[in-house]
Amino acid sequence: MMMKMPWRRKSRSFHLQLQGAIGTIQSPFLFLFTNYFHSSTSTLEDARFLTNNFKSASFTHLDDAIASFNHVIHMNPLPSRVHFNRFLSALAKMKQYHFLVFAFQTISDHFREALALLKEMVGRNISPNVFTFNILIDTLCKKGLVSNAENIIKIMIQRGVEPNVVTYSSLMDGYCLCNHMDKAKKLFDLMVTNEIANIFSYTILINGYCKYKMIDDAKDIFVEMSHKGLVPDVVTYSTLIEGMFQAGRPQTAQELFKDMCSHGQQPNIVTFSIMINGLCSQGNLDDALTLLKKMEESQLKPNLVTYCILINGMCKAGKINDAKELFSSLFENGLQPDVYVYSAIMKGLFQQGLMDEAYKVFKDMEKVGCLPNNCCYNIIIQGFLKHEDLPKASELINKMVDKGFSADVATMELVVHLSQNNDLMD
DNA sequence: GTTTTACATG
């Protein structure tokens, strides 16, 4: 009896603390925790499956987390009730530790609260380990709160928890994200000196350099990697390949792709998508389509991202009929286009002056429950503005504003331009 | 018995 009680009691009290820490946010999610935390039976596979689904979304807010959760459980053809109950039972099965890790992932937005909870944990001799700290640090870094992450690292050292390669790699990524490449490089050099840098550390730095078009530095790190006996994997290659395309070096990108294949690294969907996107941006639709064939031959099914890239590429090359055909084939293959795909085809249709068709796509997407986002509204409004259908444009602008979206720079410029040249607008 | 880091689409 006495043996079982403590963790149950503790988790209950931590749950209440968590609720307190998050404060006034009334969340159905927390309500679920309250009701189901102690209940019944499930397996760890369930837990992993569901938390993975849950984690795959990037949360910017607790409400987003709830929204994503709702999305997961409403996915077709999975019965939402089953998912729902499995998720909750899985949580119930999790021990306190998992709960806390999970809690951190959902509340690390609320940095002060997370810190308060951390102190509570330490005060109760349930000190978080390096995994827990790493989750928190990584989340902070991804949100650009790097100095907060640095403070957490100080705290963990004070608590006798040794930061590891994951901790420092996350911090490096944080530095890269806010364009502190010098800091990232300094940290990286320290990691190399201490011989803890791994393939993740190298790829993170390469990615950072690529994002800021410092392609030669990226290449240097890539070369240095091999000298240290580290074998670049498909992610490392993909990162550098994309960097090369964006730096206007498609030739080198294609050489890297060949190099990767000849070194026995099987390109994955992302690699192919990066290559196809790069080739399309070069206006090289033919080679892009050849790669698509190659991709399908290696039993890789293109996903929505790949199709979106291809539709963009076809529209850009003026092959609107091919794009339309590809778009319809999605439905035949049982894929439901997302906002990105709808935006791509709409933009293409407008470019060809096919206003009615574009507008039909716009209405269709609402019908199937794929709600237009800010970008969709801007595309369609720009389309009507460019073809000087002002009544339709202003109707849609009103609708957009009603939905809480706003005109982007390009839309504004068109409005200004038209109002200068056209007395119909004031 | 369990948890952490890198790549793609408007």
Side-chain angles (χ1 to χ4, degrees), chain A residues 111-122:
Chain A
F111 173 69
R112 276 161 205 249
E113 292 84 349
L115 199 58
L117 192 66
L118 204 68
K119 281 186 182 150
E120 277 295 325
M121 285 171 70
V122 173

Side-chain angles (χ1 to χ4, degrees), chain A residues 187-215:
Chain A
L187 181 54
F188 174 79
D189 287 342
L190 268 172
M191 290 168 75
V192 172
T193 311
N194 287 286
E195 297 183 326
I196 62 163
N198 64 12
I199 190 165
F200 283 82
S201 329
Y202 277 87
T203 309
I204 287 168
L205 190 63
I206 290 170
N207 184 44
Y209 280 135
C210 287
K211 287 281 176 300
Y212 297 108
K213 302 256 158 68
M214 301 163 79
I215 196 67

Side-chain angles (χ1 to χ4, degrees), chain A residues 10-268:
Chain A
K10 272 184 191 165
S11 55
R12 173 79 186 159
S13 85
F14 267 110
H15 162 60
L16 292 173
Q17 279 172 28
L18 177 63
Q19 199 164 21
I22 294 174
T24 53
I25 300 169
Q26 284 300 311
S27 145
F29 187 61
L30 286 174
F31 174 75
L32 298 180
F33 267 126
T34 321
N35 285 305
Y36 289 90
F37 193 63
H38 294 293
S39 69
S40 74
T41 54
S42 192
T43 64
L44 279 163
E45 283 72 40
D46 289 335
R48 204 179 298 129
F49 170 61
L50 286 158
T51 43
N52 279 345
N53 271 341
F54 199 77
K55 282 190 315 197
S56 65
S58 63
F59 306 132
T60 54
H61 199 271
L62 192 64
D63 291 86
D64 285 348
I66 297 159
S68 303
F69 178 58
N70 282 332
H71 176 73
V72 169
I73 61 176
H74 286 109
M75 278 189 323
N76 272 327
L78 297 168
S80 61
R81 271 286 148 195
V82 172
H83 246 98
F84 182 67
N85 286 325
R86 283 174 70 194
F87 177 70
L88 295 172
S89 351
L91 274 183
K93 188 77 179 179
M94 287 181 197
K95 294 203 174 164
Q96 186 179 318
Y97 214 80
H98 302 104
F99 170 69
L100 287 170
V101 168
F102 191 77
F104 267 128
Q105 288 173 325
T106 49
I107 68 163
S108 37
D109 280 344
H110 305 257
F111 173 69
R112 276 161 205 249
E113 292 84 349
L115 199 58
L117 192 66
L118 204 68
K119 281 186 182 150
E120 277 295 325
M121 285 171 70
V122 173
R124 291 184 175 237
N125 285 328
I126 312 169
S127 192
N129 67 4
V130 66
F131 288 91
T132 322
F133 276 114
N134 284 346
I135 290 168
L136 188 59
I137 288 162
D138 182 56
T139 314
L140 288 168
C141 286
K142 289 212 164 54
K143 289 181 193 308
L145 301 167
V146 186
S147 57
N148 288 333
E150 288 171 338
N151 285 330
I152 292 286
I153 293 177
K154 277 180 203 152
I155 291 173
M156 73 190 277
I157 293 169
Q158 277 168 18
R159 295 289 167 196
V161 181
E162 192 78 11
N164 62 12
V165 59
V166 178
T167 323
Y168 290 125
S169 297
S170 295
L171 184 62
M172 257 180 59
D173 202 21
Y175 286 143
C176 291
L177 210 79
C178 56
N179 201 359
H180 284 156
M181 290 311 293
D182 46 339
K183 281 189 179 178
K185 181 63 165 57
K186 233 178 174 171
L187 181 54
F188 174 79
D189 287 342
L190 268 172
M191 290 168 75
V192 172
T193 311
N194 287 286
E195 297 183 326
I196 62 163
N198 64 12
I199 190 165
F200 283 82
S201 329
Y202 277 87
T203 309
I204 287 168
L205 190 63
I206 290 170
N207 184 44
Y209 280 135
C210 287
K211 287 281 176 300
Y212 297 108
K213 302 256 158 68
M214 301 163 79
I215 196 67
D216 293 323
D217 295 281
K219 188 72 202 275
D220 288 347
I221 300 295
F222 182 82
V223 172
E224 188 186 319
M225 219 177 148
S226 322
H227 292 161
K228 299 279 176 189
L230 284 167
V231 181
D233 69 3
V234 63
V235 179
T236 321
Y237 272 106
S238 304
T239 307
L240 190 59
I241 287 171
E242 200 208 359
M244 287 296 174
F245 272 123
Q246 285 179 352
R249 287 163 65 174
Q251 217 68 29
T252 318
Q254 281 179 285
E255 280 162 20
L256 278 165
F257 183 76
K258 276 183 200 153
D259 190 55
M260 177 182 75
C261 296
S262 67
H263 281 81
Q265 300 280 2
Q266 274 292 334
N268 60 19

Side-chain angles (χ1 to χ4, degrees), chain A residues 279-286 288-289 309-323 348 351-352:
Chain A
L279 290 167
C280 285
S281 313
Q282 296 295 124
N284 193 347
L285 186 61
D286 290 341
L289 290 172
I309 290 168
L310 280 162
I311 289 172
N312 274 324
M314 287 167 171
C315 292
K316 206 180 155 195
K319 304 207 163 177
I320 188 68
N321 287 328
D322 290 349
Q351 274 164 359
Q352 299 293 319

